[in-house]
Amino acid sequence: MSLGGTSRIPLLFNQFHVPGYPLASFFYRKVVSADLSNGVATNVKCESGALIPGTNFSGGGGAPVACAQAPEVYAGSPLPRWQGSTALTVSVGNNLQFYTNVEYIGGHVQRNSEVAAAWATFGNGKAWLEKTDPILMGIAANTFDSRAQWGVLRMGYARLREMAGTYTMSPRMAQRFGVSQAAATLAWSGNISTFWRSQPELFGRHLTDPSIRENGNFRAGYPEGLAGNQQDAWPTMQRLQLTLRIVP
């Protein structure tokens, strides 16, 4: 990606357009170690790495350094690197048909405000109250641009999205009802069962649903899919639907 000579374009919540990286990528100082005494972090160290020319950004991978001298390290993008779905249809005899669909997506991250608020806003998360996690307390002691770290999670998942069964009447049975063809489909769809998550929690704080995304013009007019913040959104609801198909 080229920005026409510009080294970076800032967005919101530590997201930036940076040449050589996916759109709307997250960059922040990443705490990797700290000394902890009575819940107070000292000697906080952050990941280092070679700088991207014209910025304080880095791809990371370097040795720990004092956070004041550390670059803001690439942490991922809200754009999935892979996604897909698999559908299976099984017929039993001439009248019964069963269908299922599994979807999967991953390779992306998002900031979750409900998780971040447990530390940054309300201070009511278990790990925050216990003050025994050196990384979490190190982030708290660090400058603001590292605090995205306590809310950014990997959002990959695999989910059973839909199950359905269809019964098709035989011609003889359909004629008894005065029609030539008839079929009934019962479908259960939506958020049925998530059986894999790339990161179900952060510092012990559970993520409600990795599939929630903010799209459209929310968050300062981000184009579709680039909003990297989850906030005040609800999981997909389940739906049970009965469909009748009749041909006179």
Side-chain angles (χ1 to χ4, degrees):
M1 179 185 69
S2 172
L3 300 179
T6 302
S7 60
R8 67 174 191 169
I9 296 177
L11 302 173
L12 292 176
F13 299 112
N14 291 82
Q15 286 182 264
F16 301 85
H17 295 322
V18 178
Y21 289 84
L23 292 170
S25 292
F26 285 93
F27 287 86
Y28 50 78
R29 286 183 170 92
K30 183 179 180 181
V31 175
V32 294
S33 68
D35 297 329
L36 198 60
S37 177
N38 296 322
V40 178
T42 58
N43 192 30
V44 183
K45 297 293 182 68
C46 289
E47 184 177 347
S48 68
L51 292 180
I52 300 169
T55 73
N56 191 42
F57 294 159
S58 172
V65 297
C67 289
Q69 285 77 50
E72 296 176 61
V73 174
Y74 172 70
S77 165
L79 298 175
R81 299 186 65 179
W82 53 266
Q83 65 183 109
S85 64
T86 300
L88 175 67
T89 301
V90 176
S91 296
V92 180
N94 297 322
N95 304 100
L96 279 176
Q97 191 175 69
F98 297 97
Y99 169 84
T100 187
N101 180 278
V102 173
E103 66 175 8
Y104 33 87
I105 186 171
H108 62 298
V109 300
Q110 282 191 293
R111 177 185 181 273
N112 183 274
S113 290
E114 279 70 33
V115 171
W119 339 114
T121 305
F122 304 113
N124 60 358
K126 184 173 183 289
W128 182 264
L129 297 173
E130 292 177 341
K131 299 185 183 302
T132 57
D133 191 304
I135 301 301
L136 180 61
M137 293 298 102
I139 296 170
N142 205 359
T143 55
F144 181 77
D145 65 6
S146 72
R147 296 188 176 183
Q149 184 179 354
W150 62 23
V152 174
L153 297 92
R154 300 185 303 277
M155 293 291 182
Y157 67 89
R159 167 175 297 162
L160 179 61
R161 173 60 75 178
E162 183 177 3
M163 298 177 65
T166 299
Y167 175 74
T168 302
M169 289 186 182
S170 65
R172 177 181 296 180
M173 181 177 291
Q175 289 174 5
R176 293 179 182 177
F177 289 92
V179 297
S180 60
Q181 296 179 24
T185 298
L186 182 63
W188 182 20
S189 61
N191 194 353
I192 299 176
S193 176
T194 301
F195 51 84
W196 172 78
R197 296 186 181 195
S198 56
Q199 187 176 357
E201 51 85 20
L202 180 63
F203 300 117
R205 190 73 172 187
H206 185 70
L207 175 66
T208 302
D209 188 337
S211 67
I212 300 171
R213 296 181 65 86
E214 292 175 350
N215 292 317
N217 293 322
F218 192 56
R219 299 291 176 200
Y222 280 17
E224 289 285 338
L226 294 184
N229 186 61
Q230 287 186 356
Q231 182 173 348
D232 302 329
W234 298 99
T236 304
M237 297 182 67
Q238 296 184 25
R239 181 175 63 180
L240 189 64
Q241 179 175 321
L242 176 64
T243 303
L244 301 176
R245 299 176 179 86
I246 298 174
V247 179

